[in-house]
Amino acid sequence: MESETEKKTTSFIHINPRMLPISVISSTETENSLAKNEDARTEEEIVELAINETGFGKFNIKVTAICFLIYLNISLSTVCTGFVLPAAACDLQMTTVDKGLLSTSYFIGSCFSSLICGFLANLKGRKWILIVSLFLQGNADLLQSIVSNYWTIMGLKFISGFAGTGQLITVFTYLSECIPMKQRKSLLSLMEFFWISGHGVASALAFGIIPLEFEFQRQFFSFRSWNLYILICSLPGIILGFWLISFPESPKYLAEMGSNEKLLQVLIEMYEQNYRKSAREYVEKLMNSENTSLIKLVNRSREKTVIVNKFSFFKEKLLMELKQTKTVLKLPLLKNTCFACFTAFCVTASYFAIYLWLPEIFQRVVEFEDKSKSETLSFCDVSRDLHHSMKNKEIDPFRCNGTVETKVFIYNLLLCASCVPAIFPVLFLVARYGFKILLAITCLLCSGVVLGLYFVNSSLQILILLCVYLPLISVCITITFALFVSIFPTNLRSSGVTLTSLSSRLGASFGNIIFSYLIEQYCFQFIILITLLLVVAAVSTMIIHER
């Protein structure tokens, strides 16, 4: 049996819908399919042994570096929206609701991506979908920096969300399939650090660029500091796309597609870069091993490559996925599926209801603080004052006379710093308390922190509570995906995680919408709603049955 710690660490491989190897997801209804499934598992084990024989060195460091940077790029692309909203409000004539719709379009795109890109990664390859997603996201963000139309930017944000999630559901798989088993768990566990780093990079770039005062104006074109900010944030995706072209395809994907000759070539390339030895030595190492499977792998590479019909392969996978989805929506798995989806929706809605809006929240706090000169400053007073001023036309509804304050960037950097200490104790806490209990406890703690926002009376207290809330809710997000992997049978895991991932994306969209619609007139109701979502998540987590 796996220990809880092993479950936690290996779960990073399955955070996203299509991370399971194809060989794990196979039908068990007939003798032929059972035999096929057994052969597939054997094939996976052979490739695993061959990867371990390539060692760990320069090749693995390069793969790890680019995967870490891709994950940072996903975070950067997501978080930068939060800094653009207050900076571009005047130029794009955006109300709070308009801002909410703009940021939500990113997550609506991600909902479609979670259903499509997994199949494309299995059909065309992990490297292929990563390259396409990087270029698509990078160019969509680049175009956002040079257009001045709200609806055009919304459409590009949809594309960016689609492509960003394409990277998200593939990068863990690509990394895990190119790294020896001994180093895999620790490297996958470090991925969360680069999500936080992406937030930090977004904050630092915003700090250095957005306050700049310049303008390039033509009849149908304008370019300001927030345009430059988006432009610079788009470059990592394009640069990483070009860099990834020089990398090989995942060995496990090549094995699944029957590309035996290419598979051995990739394994030799890994060995040569890691040990700086010749290809002949690696082949001899496999042939002289006592494992007949490795000898078979070398001999098979000399045979004619088995050509897999990709259309038939895709059709088979699609039908299998639909069949498995139907199974997880029936008893006895229906209860777990429903409550896992409730948990995913509630936790993610609570996370993104505040996370992407942090620059907007701090901007309002700083403006209210400068305007009122009062010793007391409550979270809801800030929003009520803004709504009252707009209603009475005391200020421009698009806030054209204001600038993004320096404190906004400093506060966000402090929030990033507060998340770092929470990353490393997670493994220890999971091993001690388990997924369910730890997730339920952190959800309840988050609900208490959110409720506390209603009672604070200074900007410092708001900052402190958010510095507590963000690490806790980030831990919740990490544990939910780890928990969902453990509650579904292995052969149905992909379908189960697909449904929960889709629920989490819908939750992200919902969280963005409720902030934009409720924060100004119904701030107390907003706080209560987020609190209730977290309580519901805690309760539904405890009802889930772990296998």
Side-chain angles (χ1 to χ4, degrees):
M1 295 289 291
E2 279 188 313
S3 69
E4 291 293 338
T5 305
E6 288 172 332
K7 286 180 181 178
K8 168 64 183 174
T9 51
T10 56
S11 66
F12 283 92
I13 304 174
H14 311 290
I15 285 180
N16 300 295
R18 301 297 193 282
M19 290 180 184
L20 291 174
I22 296 172
S23 55
V24 176
I25 314 166
S26 46
S27 176
T28 58
E29 292 190 358
T30 65
E31 285 186 46
N32 290 335
S33 60
L34 277 169
K36 182 179 178 181
N37 190 39
E38 186 64 31
D39 290 343
R41 281 199 296 268
T42 303
E43 180 67 31
E44 184 186 352
E45 291 169 1
I46 294 171
V47 177
E48 192 72 68
L49 289 170
I51 292 173
N52 290 337
E53 292 295 329
T54 63
F56 186 89
K58 180 181 177 182
F59 176 85
N60 307 106
I61 293 171
K62 283 166 47 181
V63 169
T64 303
I66 195 169
C67 289
F68 282 172
L69 291 174
I70 288 172
Y71 202 50
L72 186 149
N73 173 66
I74 301 167
S75 175
L76 177 62
S77 176
T78 305
V79 175
C80 73
T81 305
F83 293 99
V84 172
L85 293 178
C90 178
D91 291 334
L92 299 179
Q93 301 289 285
M94 290 189 295
T95 64
T96 304
V97 173
D98 294 329
K99 295 175 185 177
L101 293 174
L102 183 63
S103 58
T104 301
S105 65
Y106 181 93
F107 295 103
I108 295 174
S110 70
C111 291
F112 287 90
S113 182
S114 62
L115 298 173
I116 295 173
C117 287
F119 282 117
L120 290 177
N122 287 337
L123 182 68
K124 301 290 290 184
R126 302 8 168 177
K127 173 187 169 181
W128 183 89
I129 194 65
L130 277 174
I131 290 174
V132 171
S133 297
L134 283 165
F135 282 127
L136 189 60
Q137 172 255 310
N139 284 288
D141 289 347
L142 181 65
L143 288 173
Q144 290 176 51
S145 70
I146 58 176
V147 298
S148 304
N149 181 272
Y150 172 81
W151 296 105
T152 304
I153 292 177
M154 179 178 285
L156 292 169
K157 208 67 189 172
F158 175 92
I159 296 172
S160 180
F162 182 93
T165 303
Q167 298 167 47
L168 184 64
I169 67 176
T170 312
V171 66
F172 283 87
T173 306
Y174 185 73
L175 177 61
S176 66
E177 292 180 355
C178 293
I179 298 294
M181 188 178 294
K182 184 178 180 181
Q183 290 83 16
R184 186 176 302 159
K185 294 178 180 179
S186 57
L187 292 176
L188 289 168
S189 301
L190 286 174
M191 292 288 275
E192 181 68 16
F193 175 78
F194 285 85
W195 179 270
I196 301 302
S197 299
H199 188 169
V201 171
S203 302
L205 287 174
F207 189 14
I209 298 171
I210 290 181
L212 298 176
E213 296 184 5
F214 68 86
E215 180 182 2
F216 181 79
Q217 186 75 44
R218 288 292 182 269
Q219 186 176 1
F220 299 106
F221 176 77
S222 65
F223 195 87
R224 300 176 188 269
S225 60
W226 64 267
N227 300 95
L228 178 62
Y229 174 67
I230 297 177
L231 175 64
I232 292 177
C233 289
S234 71
L235 296 180
I238 298 171
I239 294 170
L240 290 171
F242 280 113
W243 188 21
L244 189 60
I245 292 174
S246 65
F247 284 72
E249 182 53 83
S250 152
K252 288 186 180 179
Y253 170 77
L254 294 173
E256 289 164 3
M257 299 305 295
S259 302
N260 299 318
E261 187 177 351
K262 289 182 179 179
L263 170 61
L264 186 61
Q265 289 175 357
V266 170
L267 292 171
I268 288 172
E269 180 182 347
M270 294 167 67
Y271 181 83
E272 287 177 334
Q273 291 191 36
N274 287 339
Y275 284 106
R276 296 186 179 181
K277 295 182 180 180
S278 67
R280 182 177 178 180
E281 290 185 47
Y282 178 66
V283 174
E284 288 179 353
K285 186 177 183 180
L286 296 183
M287 294 298 291
N288 295 331
S289 67
E290 298 179 358
N291 194 308
T292 56
S293 297
L294 295 177
I295 299 172
K296 188 188 297 183
L297 185 147
V298 176
N299 291 330
R300 210 166 49 218
S301 69
R302 296 166 181 166
E303 300 171 359
K304 187 177 180 180
T305 298
V306 178
I307 299 175
V308 176
N309 187 311
K310 291 188 176 182
F311 178 77
S312 300
F313 180 79
F314 176 77
K315 183 180 178 181
E316 180 185 349
K317 290 299 302 170
L318 178 61
L319 292 174
M320 187 183 300
E321 191 74 19
L322 292 173
K323 190 174 185 179
Q324 291 172 349
T325 301
K326 186 178 178 180
T327 302
V328 298
L329 292 174
K330 287 183 177 180
L331 293 173
L333 296 174
L334 179 61
K335 175 183 170 183
N336 263 10
T337 303
C338 289
F339 284 106
C341 288
F342 285 150
T343 301
F345 182 91
C346 293
V347 171
T348 316
S350 304
Y351 180 73
F352 284 104
I354 294 178
Y355 182 67
L356 286 187
W357 292 94
L358 289 171
E360 179 77 14
I361 290 170
F362 288 130
Q363 176 69 14
R364 294 183 178 196
V365 167
V366 172
E367 286 181 356
F368 180 85
E369 202 170 35
D370 292 341
K371 176 184 174 182
S372 65
K373 305 297 182 182
S374 173
E375 294 182 359
T376 61
L377 181 157
S378 75
F379 184 79
C380 287
D381 282 345
V382 175
S383 297
R384 275 197 297 265
D385 176 76
L386 180 65
H387 175 69
H388 177 75
S389 298
M390 287 181 175
K391 189 175 180 181
N392 291 281
K393 299 182 180 180
E394 293 176 14
I395 62 172
D396 188 331
F398 305 119
R399 299 158 75 185
C400 292
N401 296 323
T403 58
V404 182
E405 299 291 337
T406 302
K407 288 183 180 179
V408 173
F409 309 114
I410 296 173
Y411 288 164
N412 274 274
L413 288 170
L414 290 173
L415 283 172
C416 295
S418 71
C419 290
V420 175
I423 296 172
F424 302 102
V426 171
L427 290 177
F428 169 77
L429 293 172
V430 166
R432 185 175 180 85
Y433 299 107
F435 292 137
K436 282 175 56 176
I437 294 176
L438 184 59
L439 179 56
I441 290 173
T442 49
C443 283
L444 291 175
L445 289 174
C446 285
S447 67
V449 174
V450 172
L451 189 60
L453 285 173
Y454 185 74
F455 300 99
V456 296
N457 55 21
S458 72
S459 59
L460 178 61
Q461 292 176 7
I462 292 174
L463 176 62
I464 291 172
L465 281 182
L466 290 175
C467 282
V468 174
Y469 173 76
L470 195 58
L472 285 175
I473 197 67
S474 297
V475 168
C476 288
I477 292 288
T478 301
I479 298 175
T480 52
F481 291 115
L483 174 64
F484 299 155
V485 169
S486 67
I487 65 176
F488 294 105
T490 301
N491 63 317
L492 300 173
R493 189 169 292 164
S494 176
S495 300
V497 176
T498 296
L499 291 174
T500 54
S501 178
L502 180 59
S503 298
S504 70
R505 294 293 161 184
L506 293 172
S509 303
F510 178 74
N512 273 284
I513 288 294
I514 60 173
F515 181 94
S516 60
Y517 275 93
L518 298 181
I519 192 63
E520 290 174 357
Q521 300 183 61
Y522 307 101
C523 177
F524 176 71
Q525 289 84 342
F526 168 77
I527 289 175
I528 293 299
L529 179 57
I530 299 300
T531 303
L532 289 176
L533 284 172
L534 289 164
V535 172
V536 169
V539 173
S540 62
T541 297
M542 294 307 297
I543 298 174
I544 293 172
H545 174 69
E546 285 187 281
R547 299 179 70 250

